[in-house]
Amino acid sequence: MARTIPLKTILTRAGLPAVAIIFMGFFAYSAVLGPNGVLVYGDYKRQQAAKGVELAKLEKQRAELRNRVALLDQKGADPDMVDELTRKKLNVVHPDEVIVPLN
């Protein structure tokens, strides 16, 4: 004699494993294809390399600016640097000087 199991009993018994499988599928999808997934890792490496080049350029520029600031120190300013900045800002030239523009 065959036993029939009501539909409600089947759904209640299969509900918890089905929800668990759905959650595991979501997390597996997120781990592989999500915004922080495995497939995005290569793009992060490329971005890191590009940012490293930009950082090196900015550090070089910062070192140059630090050097210029050190030359303009009030305790003992470099006379050539002061003369250069004064002439550049005030647009002052002696009558016997020749200006050679460097491009």
Side-chain angles (χ1 to χ4, degrees):
M1 183 165 187
R3 249 174 116 186
T4 59
I5 301 175
L7 183 61
K8 183 178 180 185
T9 306
I10 294 173
L11 290 178
T12 55
R13 286 184 184 172
L16 184 61
V19 170
I21 289 172
I22 290 171
F23 275 123
M24 286 189 294
F26 171 74
F27 287 119
Y29 168 80
S30 180
V32 175
L33 299 173
N36 294 325
V38 175
L39 297 179
V40 181
Y41 183 71
D43 188 40
Y44 284 150
K45 284 292 189 184
R46 284 189 294 276
Q47 287 178 0
Q48 183 182 15
K51 296 292 182 183
V53 170
E54 184 178 352
L55 177 65
K57 186 175 97 174
L58 290 174
E59 284 179 347
K60 180 183 176 197
Q61 184 180 12
R62 182 179 183 188
E64 291 172 359
L65 288 173
R66 277 189 182 182
N67 184 30
R68 290 181 69 87
V69 168
L71 291 174
L72 291 174
D73 189 18
Q74 290 181 357
K75 295 174 188 169
D78 183 27
D80 292 333
M81 177 66 80
V82 173
D83 186 47
E84 174 190 340
L85 288 176
T86 305
R87 287 169 184 260
K88 186 184 288 184
K89 294 290 183 185
L90 298 177
N91 199 16
V92 179
V93 179
H94 291 295
D96 60 344
E97 290 181 335
V98 177
I99 299 175
V100 179
L102 300 174
N103 294 330

